[in-house]
Amino acid sequence: GGAASKDRTVFTDSVLQHALGKAGAILRRPDGKPVAGDGQGISAAHAEDFTLAVAGEAGVACDLERIVARTEAVWRDLLGEDRHKLAERICQERAEDANAAGTRLWTATERLKKAGLPAEAPLVLASAKADGWVLLRSGSLMIATFVAGVGGSALVLAVALETQGSVLGGG
């Protein structure tokens, strides 16, 4: 907890202010979620030593996860049967490995939960774009996912960005 937690909060607030494009108060709800003092939508996520922050309309959110190798059985247990089949479809559409596709879906599932939807809410493939973005939809909720390597290292991260309605021209 203590000093390390406070340092991370200060750093996260700085990254959020950068995403907002201005200095301003970053408040915390009782559950720890950051809230912009001016009411603009913000979100932050952490993986390893990396912090991702987004700002936009109310409801904007992000997640960031390290891609790690897991067996097919572990992915099936983590994702459930329907999401595992969706991961297999993403593998085919994107010509990527099961760990990348599984982590995309894991981050999307986390976004569903943080949006107040059940983790089992229907999730469908809206599109797999040539530039690497995979758009997933659950009702009006759009989740854009991307897999990226971190320069100069073996670290690969999955990013999920969420908004109501269209995102990245996907609506």
Side-chain angles (χ1 to χ4, degrees), residues 13 16 20 24-44:
D13 287 358
L16 285 164
L20 285 164
I26 305 295
L27 311 172
R28 292 282 185 292
R29 298 188 327 199
D31 65 1
K33 181 180 177 6
V35 179
D38 66 1
Q40 191 171 358
I42 59 173
S43 179

Side-chain angles (χ1 to χ4, degrees), residues 48 50 65-69 97 147-158:
E48 303 288 317
F50 295 91
E65 295 287 336
R66 180 181 188 170
I67 295 176
V68 296
D97 72 23
V147 171
V150 178
S153 79
L155 182 63
V156 181
L157 299 172

Side-chain angles (χ1 to χ4, degrees), residues 2-66:
S5 178
K6 182 164 177 44
D7 288 347
R8 183 169 168 163
T9 299
V10 169
F11 179 76
T12 300
D13 287 358
S14 173
V15 174
L16 285 164
Q17 289 168 338
H18 185 76
L20 285 164
K22 62 185 177 203
I26 305 295
L27 311 172
R28 292 282 185 292
R29 298 188 327 199
D31 65 1
K33 181 180 177 6
V35 179
D38 66 1
Q40 191 171 358
I42 59 173
S43 179
H46 308 277
E48 303 288 317
D49 292 333
F50 295 91
T51 299
L52 172 67
V54 295
E57 299 174 7
V60 68
C62 63
D63 195 26
L64 187 63
E65 295 287 336
R66 180 181 188 170

Side-chain angles (χ1 to χ4, degrees), residues 45-169:
H46 308 277
E48 303 288 317
D49 292 333
F50 295 91
T51 299
L52 172 67
V54 295
E57 299 174 7
V60 68
C62 63
D63 195 26
L64 187 63
E65 295 287 336
R66 180 181 188 170
I67 295 176
V68 296
R70 294 182 168 93
T71 65
E72 182 177 348
V74 170
W75 277 120
R76 193 178 304 275
D77 287 346
L78 282 172
L79 298 173
E81 193 59 39
D82 289 343
R83 297 261 164 84
H84 187 261
K85 286 180 182 173
L86 183 55
E88 289 175 337
R89 181 168 173 215
I90 292 169
C91 286
Q92 293 171 344
E93 296 273 338
R94 291 279 325 126
E96 69 186 24
D97 72 23
N99 295 311
T103 306
R104 282 181 192 270
L105 289 172
W106 182 260
T107 60
T109 300
E110 289 299 305
R111 295 296 350 119
L112 291 173
K113 292 190 292 190
K114 290 181 180 175
L117 297 171
E120 305 79 32
L123 193 61
V124 297
L125 178 62
S127 67
K129 305 213 177 253
D131 62 4
W133 288 95
V134 170
L135 302 178
L136 303 164
R137 179 184 298 277
S138 184
S140 66
L141 188 73
M142 288 293 292
I143 302 170
T145 65
F146 193 79
V147 171
V150 178
S153 79
L155 182 63
V156 181
L157 299 172
V159 176
L161 305 172
E162 156 205 328
T163 188
Q164 297 291 323
S166 66
V167 63
L168 301 176

